Amino acid sequence: KKAPAKKSAVKKKKADATPPPTEELHKTRPTDKKTARRIITTVPNFGGRRCAAEGPASVQSWGMWDCDPDAEGERAPSQHHGYGRTFPWHFDVLEKAYVVEGSATLTADDPVLHGAPVTIRPRDMVTFPKGWRGSWEVHSFLRKRYAFFDHRGIQIDEEEEEDDMEPAVTKRSAKRAKH
């Protein structure tokens, strides 16, 4: 007779449980791509202590980007260089990066959608989600290796720019121009 009483008590607890308000549910578990949370994730000490200073072999072919926080000026960040201590940024494609040296804190414009501020440091493997918007605060000279990926996790080619000013012809655009 005691066993049925426990079952009914469990059923009563389930019946008494109230779901969170719709606003809270939306913030914690969005249901569509437009409202899905896109937060920066990091894996500290990626590759372990025996990893080469420039990063594991898997990132050696990735592009290199650097930022000198002491190079204040009116120049906007470019494909391979950032200038100044703070600047806004938008990731229009999924990017993975390995921090070689330096540190920075990235603060989202919308913390509900893009998460709390994230500080990146040497040896961190960082994933910058497509659609993330916010600002960088570079604490010390920063160098990172980076690559772009599609929604399936397959690395995609970036459009190279010569001297960070003029677009260069990529393999893809060269193929299109021939046809």
Side-chain angles (χ1 to χ4, degrees):
K1 291 182 179 181
K2 289 183 182 179
K6 286 182 183 178
K7 286 182 183 178
S8 63
V10 170
K11 288 180 183 177
K12 185 176 180 183
K13 284 183 183 178
K14 286 182 182 178
D16 290 344
T18 56
T22 306
E23 300 83 19
E24 289 301 314
L25 186 62
H26 178 72
K27 288 180 184 177
T28 58
R29 290 183 287 155
T31 56
D32 62 35
K33 288 184 180 183
K34 288 184 179 181
T35 58
R37 287 183 54 119
R38 293 184 285 272
I39 60 172
I40 295 172
T41 57
T42 61
V43 178
N45 198 27
F46 186 81
R49 68 176 196 251
R50 294 183 181 171
C51 185
E54 292 295 312
S58 60
V59 305
Q60 293 298 312
S61 64
W62 292 5
M64 184 68 80
W65 184 87
D66 61 46
C67 182
D68 183 356
D70 297 327
E72 295 291 338
E74 296 299 315
R75 289 184 74 178
S78 66
Q79 187 170 3
H80 296 287
H81 307 285
Y83 306 96
R85 190 162 302 282
T86 61
F87 51 88
W89 198 259
H90 172 238
F91 289 96
D92 57 358
V93 67
L94 178 91
E95 179 183 318
K96 292 189 181 195
Y98 179 82
V99 181
V100 177
E101 69 177 291
S103 66
T105 299
L106 289 89
T107 304
D109 289 346
D110 181 353
V112 172
L113 184 60
H114 300 298
V118 174
T119 299
I120 58 175
R121 297 175 178 87
R123 298 182 168 285
D124 283 355
M125 179 63 78
V126 187
T127 301
F128 302 104
K130 179 180 179 178
W132 188 94
R133 286 183 184 276
S135 60
W136 286 69
E137 180 183 356
V138 181
H139 308 295
S140 59
F141 185 84
L142 182 72
R143 275 192 324 132
K144 68 178 176 108
R145 292 200 168 276
Y146 69 93
F148 303 122
F149 294 84
D150 68 13
H151 67 281
R152 296 168 298 185
I154 297 172
Q155 187 174 347
I156 56 177
D157 294 334
E158 67 177 299
E159 300 238 352
E160 285 291 325
E161 294 180 8
E162 294 177 16
D163 297 327
D164 290 330
M165 298 302 261
E166 297 179 28
V169 177
T170 64
K171 291 178 186 177
R172 284 185 185 166
S173 59
K175 286 180 185 176
R176 287 184 198 135
K178 288 180 184 177
H179 297 288

